[in-house]
Amino acid sequence: MKGMMMHQPLLVSEILEFGAGAYPKAEIVSVRTEGDIHRETLVEFRERTIQLAHGLKAHGVELGDRVATLAWNGYRHMELYYAISGIGAVCHTINPRLSAEQMIYIVNHAEDKVLFLDTTFVPLIAAVKDHLPKDMTYVIMTDKAHMPDAPFEALCYEDLLEGQPTEIEWPLFDEETACGLCYTSGTTGNPKGALYSHRSTVLHGMMMSVMQTTTFNEGLSVLPVVPLFHVNAWGLPYSSLLSGMNMVMPGPALDGESLFKLMDQEKVFSAWGVPTIWQGLLGEIEKQGRKPEGFGDVVIGGSAAPRSMIEAFEKMDVSVGHAWGMTEMSPVGTHGIMPKWMENEPFDTRIDYKSKQGRRCFGVELKLVDEDGNRLPHDGKAVGELYVRGNTVVSGYFKNEEASAKALDSEGWFGTGDVATIDPNGFLSIQDRAKDLIKSGGEWISSIDLENIAMAHPAIAQAAAIGVAHPRWDERPILVAVAAEGAEKPDLDEVREHLSEHFAKWQLPDDVVWVDSIPLTATGKFSKLNLRKQLADYKHPELRETA
Ligand code: ADP
């Protein structure tokens, strides 16, 4: 027997209407690329978003069209999120740290029709524009007074809004309609697109708001340092509006000093980002001898949060939520809130627990499997590959049949490529990574791509790329190489020069270690596990200098 309840599609536009209606005084505060601070209430935000939606339609954007953004965290980027999705188009956020090659690939693959960019990114687009779709409309996210002299034809963001009505009848469509697109690095080959739907996005926003009891409180301020260009800033653009929080948008300056100043000024309660960012902030806190006023909650994710970092925050009464997720999961999967029964445990026990990646969010199921796909117990001891299932997990990749076919196992679960344990209290602990990716400062580098291109160098017979621990960037890539017979070994600069055509500068290896042979697995692949063991005593060059 079916229930007799209404069926309203879960649409992103309803989050905007709810937020502006229920929390009209909540604010979005942004450090602008123009240099000043801009404030708008959710009522103003809604009006400008509606004007932008009309502006997009006036420029021919229709249901299903992809509209790209290349921008820092700021109110205009937020307006784009809601306006693009609101009219049924797809907001494709581009990571400016991608190499030119990857950026060209994803813009063409997504078939973006319009590209919105911050003034900062004009040179970046000028350099690749000849390889982007010919009929693309470019819009620079500023006002007339600050329009840069771009070497390509571009519209001005504020012109799109000007004179447009501030009311709209948001279109109703199927909740499965796509609303966002974010590409993630593949272990091999080109980036793959996670295509979020209105339904998955609304559910993810709701799921986070019920989970994170310490963060989400009306009237408090949240600082997403995690970028809007990377997996929807971990869902904050939605859950902040659902819970009535003020959003504080940092713009391009993410160093410790700038963040401290902004957090202090705006009395930010909760700040979200990757460990690298918090290293900078902790340095500034130490320098100032105090934490920013009002700071009480930090969410760390994207890479494992070091125990010492968790301890440092907790000692200054900043509650740490250690979160784990993936682009393919919208992205949040688990979050490290302490269970109530643990409150009276000794400090060290609590820090041990906070060093784990937390418990699952509602609607995200976790399973561990061994190499043959058999389920392993959640006993805190069995180590296996982690699979996930739920309404906020991808079912495949955008326009990529090959990758889609491999994404799910026979039971319909998504393989994360992470190796983990889960304890009887439900706490996930990531142990290792089965996928061949290196994560530096929260951003991926494909080790396989590095290896393949390195091995195209005539003097390199074999090359394996691995990540080594680095205090600032969590991990940095190095190359372990075998020289071709009779060849003179190229030095680091030459290897980097050889790779630089295909990689962004930050993706290049920091060192080359020459060896006689690279350990292989039973199937003849490089054994990264053994290689990592073999190099257990290896120290990144910067650590050697300071030792
Ligand atoms: P995000 O950077 O937003 O987490 P990505 O899709 O770029 O999303 O990266 C996901 C991967 O990052 C995970 O599969 C895992 O390898 C790693 N990761 C994310 N969060 C953590 C964490 N808290 N601890 C350890 N690894 C993490």
Side-chain angles (χ1 to χ4, degrees):
M1 193 191 294
K2 274 194 160 186
M4 292 173 62
M5 303 307 283
M6 290 185 190
H7 180 88
Q8 280 292 109
L10 297 172
L11 299 181
V12 164
S13 51
E14 167 58 6
I15 301 183
L16 175 67
E17 291 302 324
F18 171 76
Y23 310 113
K25 292 190 173 63
E27 276 187 320
I28 299 178
V29 181
S30 314
V31 177
R32 300 205 298 176
T33 47
E34 287 92 333
D36 54 352
I37 288 209
H38 173 273
R39 321 183 80 90
E40 65 187 19
T41 62
L42 286 189
V43 170
E44 290 159 340
F45 170 66
R46 174 181 172 271
E47 287 183 359
R48 283 176 51 85
T49 300
I50 290 171
Q51 288 184 306
L52 176 60
H54 287 296
L56 288 169
K57 288 207 285 188
H59 281 84
V61 176
E62 291 173 4
L63 192 83
D65 283 343
R66 269 77 70 200
V67 177
T69 65
L70 188 60
W72 302 109
N73 288 5
Y75 65 107
R76 291 188 182 113
H77 206 172
M78 278 287 290
E79 291 163 2
L80 281 162
Y81 260 62
Y82 280 95
I84 296 168
S85 307
I87 61 168
V90 181
C91 180
H92 170 208
T93 51
I94 304 176
N95 186 337
R97 297 191 190 115
L98 293 175
S99 67
E101 204 173 317
Q102 287 173 322
M103 196 176 293
I104 291 166
Y105 170 82
I106 68 167
V107 173
N108 284 295
H109 186 265
E111 298 173 84
D112 293 324
K113 193 166 176 180
V114 185
L115 194 157
F116 283 82
L117 64 151
D118 265 338
T119 50
T120 343
F121 299 122
V122 168
L124 210 117
I125 287 302
V128 295
K129 191 183 164 284
D130 289 349
H131 305 282
L132 302 185
K134 295 279 165 285
D135 49 1
M136 176 94 81
T137 303
Y138 295 90
V139 186
I140 300 183
M141 294 162 66
T142 188
D143 53 24
K144 242 198 202 81
H146 295 88
M147 266 303 266
D149 205 5
F152 51 88
E153 206 178 305
L155 304 171
C156 169
Y157 184 93
E158 293 298 330
D159 285 354
L160 247 66
L161 276 68
E162 206 177 295
Q164 295 289 358
T166 53
E167 280 308 329
I168 196 168
E169 186 86 41
W170 290 111
L172 286 179
F173 36 75
D174 185 343
E175 64 185 15
E176 303 275 2
T177 304
C179 73
L181 176 61
C182 181
Y183 282 76
T184 178
S185 314
T187 23
T188 48
N190 288 315
K192 298 174 289 186
L195 188 61
Y196 310 113
S197 67
H198 280 261
R199 174 183 153 83
S200 71
T201 304
V202 173
L203 288 176
H204 185 266
M206 287 166 61
M207 175 181 109
M208 281 175 59
S209 318
V210 291
M211 182 80 195
Q212 294 166 6
T213 48
T214 41
T215 301
F216 294 108
N217 282 297
E218 183 185 355
L220 294 177
S221 296
V222 61
L223 172 90
V225 183
V226 50
L228 288 164
F229 61 68
H230 180 72
V231 226
N232 311 321
W234 294 348
L236 282 173
Y238 307 107
S239 33
S240 303
L241 263 72
L242 285 171
S243 58
M245 291 195 86
N246 303 309
M247 295 186 87
V248 179
M249 299 294 207
L254 306 178
D255 58 285
E257 194 183 337
S258 307
L259 288 179
F260 188 104
K261 196 170 142 215
L262 181 65
M263 289 172 74
D264 211 30
Q265 215 166 286
E266 295 298 330
K267 302 194 175 47
V268 166
F269 169 68
S270 178
W272 293 46
V274 296
T276 302
I277 291 292
W278 305 132
Q279 215 89 47
L281 181 73
L282 282 171
E284 185 63 20
I285 289 176
E286 196 178 341
K287 215 163 97 190
Q288 303 251 357
R290 67 176 182 97
K291 64 176 182 179
E293 210 184 317
F295 185 27
D297 180 74
V298 65
V299 175
I300 311 178
S303 286
R307 198 180 192 284
S308 57
M309 178 175 284
I310 299 177
E311 220 176 282
F313 277 125
E314 292 280 339
K315 277 190 176 148
M316 58 180 86
D317 264 336
V318 173
S319 165
V320 174
H322 186 191
W324 167 87
M326 292 182 79
T327 304
E328 286 92 334
M329 298 175 68
S330 306
V332 183
T334 63
H335 188 75
I337 299 167
M338 279 300 97
K340 285 276 176 252
W341 56 262
M342 199 166 256
E343 272 170 10
N344 297 324
E345 293 291 323
F347 184 75
D348 274 352
T349 313
R350 280 186 287 127
I351 300 298
D352 284 346
Y353 252 82
K354 289 225 166 179
S355 302
K356 299 189 180 203
Q357 276 77 4
R359 288 171 292 179
R360 70 187 181 102
C361 297
F362 171 71
V364 180
E365 293 176 82
L366 311 174
K367 77 168 177 183
L368 293 177
V369 301
D370 67 14
E371 280 174 2
D372 301 321
N374 302 315
R375 287 217 191 196
L376 294 170
H378 295 185
D379 59 4
K381 294 186 198 99
V383 180
E385 187 165 345
L386 178 62
Y387 280 74
V388 292
R389 187 168 74 175
N391 289 309
T392 54
V393 181
V394 293
S395 59
Y397 293 99
F398 181 49
K399 283 185 8 193
N400 190 336
E401 278 175 28
E402 200 191 330
S404 296
K406 287 190 216 146
L408 309 185
D409 71 4
S410 58
E411 294 178 349
W413 294 64
F414 176 81
T416 65
D418 287 326
V419 174
T421 62
I422 299 171
D423 73 17
N425 294 320
F427 276 75
L428 174 75
S429 176
I430 303 285
Q431 308 286 323
D432 201 353
R433 208 180 278 148
K435 53 196 165 195
D436 249 324
L437 288 166
I438 298 164
K439 204 165 205 190
S440 174
E443 303 279 351
W444 289 120
I445 303 169
S446 162
S447 48
I448 293 180
D449 286 351
L450 271 182
E451 290 159 7
N452 288 340
I453 294 167
M455 286 189 281
H457 190 288
I460 300 179
Q462 289 187 327
I466 56 168
V468 296
H470 187 278
R472 169 127 195 253
W473 303 111
D474 312 319
E475 257 179 29
R476 286 294 303 152
I478 64 159
L479 213 58
V480 183
V482 178
E485 218 170 295
E488 195 178 322
K489 288 173 190 157
D491 64 10
L492 177 64
D493 283 344
E494 188 183 331
V495 175
R496 286 168 59 94
E497 175 68 33
H498 168 77
L499 294 164
S500 62
E501 196 189 314
H502 301 276
F503 296 92
K505 203 159 165 231
W506 64 270
Q507 297 175 321
L508 298 175
D510 288 351
D511 198 5
V512 184
V513 177
W514 295 99
V515 292
D516 293 334
S517 65
I518 293 172
L520 300 179
T521 64
T523 53
K525 290 187 209 161
F526 292 147
S527 169
K528 297 288 171 71
L529 222 59
N530 284 334
L531 195 58
R532 279 198 285 264
K533 273 190 207 143
Q534 200 171 307
L535 290 171
D537 294 332
Y538 173 90
K539 277 207 164 71
H540 187 273
E542 278 172 40
L543 294 177
R544 265 177 262 156
E545 280 153 27
T546 55

